[in-house]
Amino acid sequence: MPIDPICGMEVTAGEAVGRSTFRGEDYFFCSASCKEKFDRNHEDYVTPRGHVVAESTAEPTSQVVGKKSQRIDLPISGMSFASCALTIQRGIGSLEGVQKVSVNFASSQATVHYDPGHVSNLDMIKKVKEVGYGVGAAKARFKIGDMHCASCVHKIEKALKGLPGVLKAGVNLAAEEAQVEYFPSQVTLADMKRAVQSTGYTFREIEGAAEEDIEKQQRGREYLLLKRKLIAAFILAVLIFIGSMGHWVPGLKEIPRSWTHIILFLLTTPVLFWCGGQFLRGAWASFRHRSADMNTLIAVGTSSAYLYSGVVTFLPGVVAGAGQSPAVYFDTTAFIIALILLGRTLESRAKGRTSDAIRKLMGLRAKTARVIRNGQEMDIPVEEVLVDEVVVVRPGEKIPVDGVVTDGRSTVDESMVTGESLPAEKHPGDGVIGATINKTGSFKFRATKVGKDTLLAQIVRLVREAQGSKAPIQRLADVISGYFVPVVMAIAIATFMIWFDLGPQPAFTRALINFVAVLIIACPCALGLATPTAIMVGTGRGAENGILIKGGESLETAHKLTTIVFDKTGTLTKGEPEVTDVLPLNGFSGDELLKFAASAESASEHPLGEALVRRAREKGIELLEPKDFQALAGHGIEATLNGRKILVGNARLLRGNGVDIKDLEGYFATLSSQGKTPMFLAVDGVSAGVLAVADTLKPGSKGVVEQLHRMGLEVLMISGDNRRTAEAIGKQIGIGLVLAEVLPEDKASEVSKLQGEGKVVAMVGDGINDAPALAQADVGVAIGTGTDVAMEASDITLIKGDLRGVVTAIQLSKRTMQIIRQNLFWAFAYNTAGIPIAAGILYPFFSILLSPVIASAAMAASSVSVVTNSLRLRRFKPL
Amino acid sequence: MNLMQVLVTLGGVLTIGWVIWFFLLAKGESARAQADTSGIQEVRVSVKGGYSPDILVVQRGKPVRIHFYRDETAECSERVIFSDFGINQFLPAYQTTMVDFTPDRQGEFDFHCGMNMLRGKLIVE
């Protein structure tokens, strides 16, 4: 069957609207405009090799056609017209070494015969990309075991590249990982597995290997080890404590002191070197980098107590000679380690929960998809789904990737991605989101976004980026933590000197104990964890509610907002007109009025007409076929229905046709003043009534404005509409401050004017038309609907189009900032009070000294409390 | 003040001076990322109580891949953060983790562990 070379439609010679002859060949067209296009410029659509034909290219292999000739089928993406096929065909054809190309628009595939000696498949792909299209290749990552050297890398790469359909293969020895780009229609993961195994290495799939999963596993292992060390440390510490109190314990009293010391030494050694080994190793590793961290403080503190006690145990003469009483502090060492391990164990568990939100999001991904390939349904891994492929979804199944419904209908639960609790109805033409769950019916959809382009993947990426970002409030804490440990060490040494020189007897032991206490009580962890943990939990909690916050800075600014500016159309209102009033007259009924108006308008493409037709359909009114339809620009329309002459339009249209509209003018004025667009209707020269159409408010927008007012925020509306319409909407919604008749390009300058008055402004818009204003505002809030979210342009994105998200986002930011402030206050206060107390500043006044054991308990408590406080954000509920 | 006290004071002051010099005035070890055939600038960093090398020099506008090998289980180094580029990467112990990004602006940017104890610098030319 011939194909229209412009649009790619199949047209038979009989049905064709137009026909042209070029170079002795006939071309048929589906419409006059296609023919016109073709006639204007044949060259663009026809090559010397012939026109585009839909040929069947079923067998997807790269088989050898002749000597030095190979064939490859490239899946092409991004073709929307048949003329695209030509562009691609010409592009590939221009490469040296290409013998024959045919591009099939219908199957989105290019079949190329080429000489592999002259041109590689990568050259062809490059060419396709150059002319503006994509090649539907999938990427896979998997682990390879048992690799030892660079030659293994070479061997495996060669094996993978040797597979037909593999474009690129790279093996990383250090990461033990292969990354392959391939055509899933020609080669599968199973083929690659066989290829890797045939070279003698092991293949391990990374199934949904989210880093959060790896993190969780590793944390689990570490947690177990920590717990074991913790239990051992506590048991030994208690024994050591009893032993140290030996002179009060009956039975132990008889053992000579020097023996007890040796036993205590033997019990303490494993506590320090096994249970506390990680602190020593960490400290040594930092030391070699000339840096100091938490581990340095713990290691210096515990080992100085241990070493001194060791000297007392084995060389009591040295200590006695220096005039010191021979006391040991093994129990101090053991208890410090046990308590710090307790803190670490609790902290490790709590910290693991801060990234729960991402883990939850990642866990939503579908694993497999059912696609139609070569006319057959087949289950494939979700990574292999290509753009433009047709995917089948049954009730109860997960939708694997983003797409547009082509066939069937259903309801879909999108709450996991958008936060919207009501299931969404899906009809052909509606977008579906990957990872959401199909509820009732079966449907087919065309994949539009796969892999890292899906909404879920973008959300995960944005949340991860947000979690890695910093809030400005953190700056001071960062500067301090950079100098913290060396400064604490200096303070500890100074403490030792002062106690030794000026303190009461026994000076040395007191100096040592206070030195240890200062090192142990200082906790830079609390300072370092205060902000990041809160931001991680806060942004994660936002994502769970369909609110994406770009980072710490946006979060921090959002709680300082004074003014919220809403764009009107599409943000506060639905953005499409609806019939609001039907006022019949002269014996006509409301339904009749609607029937006439909608039938007459059914031929027009005007949005007002569409609103009438939609309403009539909703009410189940059957429409009539209009005859002699005429659109009169600036006036309205004229049509004949069942022989009756219908006029729909403004006053001028009706007066011009001699219709008396005196009775209607009052209504007209009222409706106009409400911001609506009224239309008169006349039947056979008699006025039949007035219909009004207006853009209506989104449900809930009024409540949102009220709530923002209650929160003490100034609310403005900005609109390109005329003042009357804008103010009418403002009145309905409760916004007194209306900026009307603002051109789209001037919205940004209106925002900056407000900022000039010292206001901190949030702009709420749809993110596409309002991008400059969103960027200008201190916080740009983009309202998305499904997959069309312009997430990059804004600071905060509301995934579902629900305005309540604005309130939730502000509340969440306030709550998060409150938690951060509490954390920072606690961490600063703790360290600034704790360190001097440990140094003994209270001793001259109240004779209070802090034991190092108490110091270690306080230290452990401080970092655990900071993380636990941040975790409270997980319970944040939007009001 | 007896002799012992004089010695301890003197020793203490010297130790404080040494601590400040040793930890705060340390100079880093720098490495320039090497571009491979596909144009990706690659550099390997070992993570053990710090980053070595800890000054990474890369070029603007070209993709960068840093291979972090975390050679310890100490919790301090479990995350590496490049806050200017929105990167907060978990580094599994005894494994190489790759961090990919394309620096879009020139300057000096800090990277550090989750608690800002271990630090390094990324210089974008």
Side-chain angles (χ1 to χ4, degrees), chain A residues 172 211 215 218-219 286-287 289-291 344 351 465 467-468 470 478 481-482 493 497 500-501 524-525, chain B residues 5 8-9 12 21-23 26 48-49 52 67 75 78-79 86 88-90 92-93 112 115-117 119:
Chain A
N172 186 308
E211 72 172 84
E215 177 176 348
Q218 183 155 355
R219 220 181 263 291
S286 309
F287 182 81
H289 281 92
R290 293 185 63 169
S291 65
R344 278 288 157 94
K351 256 175 24 192
E465 278 177 16
Q467 294 189 332
K470 266 189 190 166
D478 273 355
S481 61
I493 297 165
M497 279 157 50
F500 189 82
D501 291 348
C525 287
Chain B
Q5 286 171 329
V8 164
T9 311
W21 169 79
F22 187 82
F23 292 113
K48 188 174 186 181
S52 36
H67 302 246
E75 265 182 84
E78 70 179 14
R79 280 187 174 275
N88 180 348
Q89 179 73 42
F90 180 76
H112 48 79
M115 285 182 262
N116 202 22
M117 298 276 120
R119 272 161 307 150

Side-chain angles (χ1 to χ4, degrees), chain B residues 38-109:
Chain B
S38 58
I40 299 174
Q41 313 181 67
E42 296 195 82
V43 60
R44 287 171 200 285
V45 176
S46 147
V47 184
K48 188 174 186 181
Y51 303 103
S52 36
D54 56 2
I55 300 175
L56 313 178
V57 186
V58 299
Q59 285 179 319
R60 187 173 77 117
K62 289 185 189 156
V64 172
R65 173 172 291 166
I66 306 176
H67 302 246
F68 282 101
Y69 178 69
R70 183 167 159 232
D71 196 13
E72 62 181 352
T73 49
E75 265 182 84
C76 266
S77 59
E78 70 179 14
R79 280 187 174 275
V80 63
I81 296 173
F82 290 76
S83 55
D84 299 282
F85 299 98
I87 292 165
N88 180 348
Q89 179 73 42
F90 180 76
L91 307 175
Y94 306 117
Q95 279 183 37
T96 300
T97 310
M98 283 178 276
V99 170
D100 289 293
F101 62 100
T102 303
D104 49 1
R105 50 199 191 275
Q106 286 182 338
E108 293 190 6
F109 307 97

Side-chain angles (χ1 to χ4, degrees), chain A residues 150-279:
Chain A
S151 73
C152 308
V153 169
H154 186 71
K155 233 160 97 185
I156 297 166
E157 280 182 358
K158 212 173 135 193
L160 287 170
K161 280 180 187 158
L163 293 170
V166 168
L167 298 170
K168 264 192 209 169
V171 174
N172 186 308
L173 179 63
E176 300 191 323
E177 200 176 277
Q179 292 204 29
V180 184
E181 253 186 80
Y182 65 105
F183 295 136
S185 55
Q186 296 168 23
V187 62
T188 61
L189 265 179
D191 298 332
M192 294 181 221
K193 185 176 178 178
R194 271 195 296 277
V196 170
Q197 285 168 344
S198 71
T199 55
Y201 301 95
T202 46
F203 173 101
R204 270 180 289 138
E205 228 167 299
I206 323 180
E207 188 153 354
E211 72 172 84
E212 281 70 21
D213 290 334
I214 303 171
E215 177 176 348
K216 192 174 185 180
Q217 278 173 17
Q218 183 155 355
R219 220 181 263 291
R221 277 199 298 273
E222 276 173 19
Y223 181 70
L224 277 181
L225 185 65
L226 268 176
K227 219 164 72 177
R228 236 179 285 150
K229 287 182 174 178
L230 171 66
I231 293 168
F234 259 108
I235 293 172
L236 288 170
V238 170
L239 291 177
I240 293 162
F241 180 75
I242 296 171
S244 307
M245 301 293 130
H247 37 284
W248 286 307
V249 182
L252 286 178
K253 251 189 283 190
E254 286 71 40
I255 303 172
R257 185 163 282 192
S258 57
W259 285 35
T260 337
H261 285 177
I262 292 173
I263 293 167
L264 292 179
F265 174 83
L266 292 176
L267 288 175
T268 311
T269 305
V271 178
L272 181 65
F273 291 98
W274 183 65
C275 303
Q278 51 175 328
F279 306 128

Side-chain angles (χ1 to χ4, degrees), chain A residues 721-860:
Chain A
D721 275 356
N722 65 58
R723 181 151 294 280
R724 201 172 51 185
T725 312
E727 275 177 356
I729 292 277
K731 214 170 180 182
Q732 279 179 45
I733 206 167
I735 298 180
L737 302 160
V738 177
L739 304 169
E741 290 162 31
V742 180
L743 296 171
E745 56 269 30
D746 292 338
K747 284 183 183 170
S749 60
E750 290 292 337
V751 170
S752 86
K753 249 188 247 169
L754 291 167
Q755 288 168 324
E757 294 166 25
K759 293 170 178 167
V760 186
V761 183
M763 169 80 201
V764 188
D766 61 16
I768 300 154
N769 310 320
D770 306 323
L774 291 183
Q776 172 65 41
D778 298 291
V779 176
V781 184
I783 298 218
T785 41
T787 46
D788 299 328
V789 258
M791 296 190 278
E792 302 291 343
S794 56
D795 300 302
I796 294 176
T797 305
L798 310 178
I799 300 175
K800 56 175 168 171
D802 190 341
L803 280 181
R804 271 171 298 182
V806 176
V807 178
T808 311
I810 294 173
Q811 284 170 342
L812 180 66
S813 87
K814 286 200 167 157
R815 187 85 186 98
T816 310
M817 289 311 294
Q818 190 191 354
I819 296 271
I820 291 177
R821 276 203 216 97
Q822 289 167 356
N823 283 351
L824 284 174
F825 172 80
W826 167 242
F828 274 115
Y830 166 83
N831 280 304
T832 44
I835 294 171
I837 293 175
I841 204 163
L842 297 180
Y843 186 79
F845 313 105
F846 310 102
S847 301
I848 293 176
L849 272 182
L850 202 64
S851 122
V853 175
I854 305 287
S856 66
M859 198 281 270

Side-chain angles (χ1 to χ4, degrees), chain A residues 233-446:
Chain A
F234 259 108
I235 293 172
L236 288 170
V238 170
L239 291 177
I240 293 162
F241 180 75
I242 296 171
S244 307
M245 301 293 130
H247 37 284
W248 286 307
V249 182
L252 286 178
K253 251 189 283 190
E254 286 71 40
I255 303 172
R257 185 163 282 192
S258 57
W259 285 35
T260 337
H261 285 177
I262 292 173
I263 293 167
L264 292 179
F265 174 83
L266 292 176
L267 288 175
T268 311
T269 305
V271 178
L272 181 65
F273 291 98
W274 183 65
C275 303
Q278 51 175 328
F279 306 128
L280 299 181
R281 278 195 302 275
W284 175 241
S286 309
F287 182 81
R288 288 181 29 186
H289 281 92
R290 293 185 63 169
S291 65
D293 57 19
M294 241 357 260
N295 294 321
T296 315
L297 296 178
I298 298 167
V300 173
T302 50
S303 51
S304 17
Y306 175 79
L307 284 177
Y308 172 72
S309 308
V311 173
V312 172
T313 307
F314 296 105
L315 306 164
V318 177
V319 182
Q324 305 298 326
S325 64
V328 292
Y329 294 95
F330 289 122
D331 55 335
T332 305
T333 303
F335 264 113
I336 290 175
I337 287 173
L339 285 167
I340 292 175
L341 280 174
L342 174 68
R344 278 288 157 94
T345 314
L346 295 175
E347 190 186 314
S348 160
R349 209 172 58 173
K351 256 175 24 192
R353 288 209 298 253
T354 57
S355 50
D356 269 358
I358 285 235
R359 207 155 36 234
K360 241 193 252 172
L361 283 170
M362 298 290 295
L364 292 176
R365 288 185 308 181
K367 298 227 160 35
T368 60
R370 186 171 302 121
V371 298
I372 299 184
R373 274 190 192 160
N374 302 326
Q376 277 184 326
E377 280 189 19
M378 51 201 285
D379 281 333
I380 57 167
V382 70
E383 293 82 11
E384 297 191 352
V385 179
L386 297 176
V387 168
D388 285 344
E389 250 182 330
V390 176
V391 184
V392 184
V393 189
R394 303 217 179 103
E397 286 182 342
K398 225 174 231 186
I399 296 168
V401 296
D402 295 358
V404 176
V405 177
T406 53
D407 205 1
R409 57 191 51 207
S410 182
T411 51
V412 174
D413 178 5
E414 297 186 334
S415 58
M416 58 293 287
V417 177
T418 64
E420 173 64 62
S421 53
L422 289 176
E425 296 246 350
K426 298 292 174 186
H427 303 284
D430 289 342
V432 288
I433 306 171
T436 57
I437 290 173
N438 178 29
K439 303 287 264 190
T440 48
S442 291
F443 65 90
K444 288 180 188 159
F445 74 94
R446 188 172 55 79

